[in-house]
Amino acid sequence: MDSLDLFHIRQKYYLGSYGPLQAAEVPDKSSPDYQPTLLFKARALVQSDPDGALALLPTDDVSLPSRTVRSLAGYFKAKQDDDEDAREKSLDELRDLCVEVEGEEVNEEDKTLVRSIAAVAFVHEGENEEALETLGAGTSSHNLEGIALMVQLYLSMNRIDLAQKEFEKAKSWAEDDMLLQLIEATLNLASGANSYSNTHSFYSEQAHNPSLASSHLLAANGLTHLLRGELPEAHSSFVEALKLNGKESTALAGKAISEWLSGDATKAEASFQELEEKSSQYPMVNELSEKSELFDSLVSKYTAPPIAKA
């Protein structure tokens, strides 16, 4: 069982409260919490600051989880540098590590951790099937972090039924774990169960916890308000999120939507333009761009008939 300090570290990581996580103190090297804490801190940085993630890990730590985090950081650094060879090298390293953990001498905790870390890269590569296989989809895996990622993957594939199936299996052994509550909240957010009441309660509680303060949680709380039709409350949450992180993409998108639904098209257009500038690859930006191009293409093929004269 985790110590109380490590429980709070895990909580910050899984809820995306990366600022408070990086501010948390690292325990003494003699503490059993030392390596897990460093790993969570490094994992929180691998995408936004790969070099920072690598700097956190001691060079003499050659454990399987640490090697996996290094390879994942290398993958994201290669993506940032647009280095195709380095990206493929990192992916091969992650695949090799997933094979290496199958050895009998590797403990179950390290096995599940390595698979969960490696699967992140496969998801970013668009290799969803490889990610699901790595995480043990359809098996009796007790890897709750892996199940949380599987649920996200299935929801992205519009397979709520499979996501729900993984959640139901986890409920039989995971008890009342915070991560299990997060999985349930995510499922209800996708399905709209009980008018989003469960999801709203969960994110509202987390977002108002001072020790977890983050733009990610405030944006998620804003989404629950938005889906419940509570536009002023949604807008307020998105604004608060942007005060903490002006580049929080979900908050920028949600702010634009809440302003549009409230009838303020001018503000909505300004917020959407800001989203385009700060997060050009955000799904909503890409989809609207594709729809706009499709519309222009169709219009170019259509010749309007002359206006009939009386």
Side-chain angles (χ1 to χ4, degrees), residues 259-303:
E259 288 165 345
W260 182 269
L261 293 175
S262 298
D264 197 332
T266 301
K267 285 186 177 180
E269 289 172 5
S271 294
F272 184 74
Q273 184 177 357
E274 186 178 1
L275 174 64
E276 287 182 306
E277 293 169 354
K278 293 181 176 179
S279 187
S280 60
Q281 297 305 308
Y282 193 74
M284 187 170 82
V285 173
N286 285 334
E287 187 171 349
L288 284 175
S289 176
E290 290 170 2
K291 297 297 183 185
S292 178
E293 289 176 3
L294 177 61
F295 178 80
D296 291 342
S297 173
L298 292 173
V299 167
S300 67
K301 298 176 182 178
Y302 177 77
T303 302

Side-chain angles (χ1 to χ4, degrees), residues 12 16-21 206-218 244:
K12 290 178 175 66
S17 297
Y18 294 160
L21 172 58
Q206 307 302 332
H208 291 92
N209 183 338
S211 69
L212 297 173
S214 74
S215 58
H216 175 78
L217 279 177
L218 286 167
L244 291 179

Side-chain angles (χ1 to χ4, degrees), residues 164-231:
Q164 186 70 40
K165 186 177 180 180
E166 291 292 346
F167 169 65
E168 295 297 334
K169 285 195 298 183
K171 279 202 304 184
S172 66
W173 55 266
E175 299 179 352
D176 194 28
D177 189 284
M178 182 281 299
L179 188 50
L180 187 69
Q181 295 175 32
L182 177 60
I183 295 171
E184 183 176 22
T186 303
L187 272 168
N188 289 344
L189 190 64
S191 67
N194 301 316
S195 300
Y196 305 102
S197 59
N198 173 280
T199 302
H200 175 68
S201 297
F202 176 80
Y203 278 113
S204 180
E205 178 183 351
Q206 307 302 332
H208 291 92
N209 183 338
S211 69
L212 297 173
S214 74
S215 58
H216 175 78
L217 279 177
L218 286 167
N221 191 43
L223 286 178
T224 67
H225 282 301
L226 189 64
L227 291 167
R228 287 158 62 91
E230 299 163 353
L231 299 182

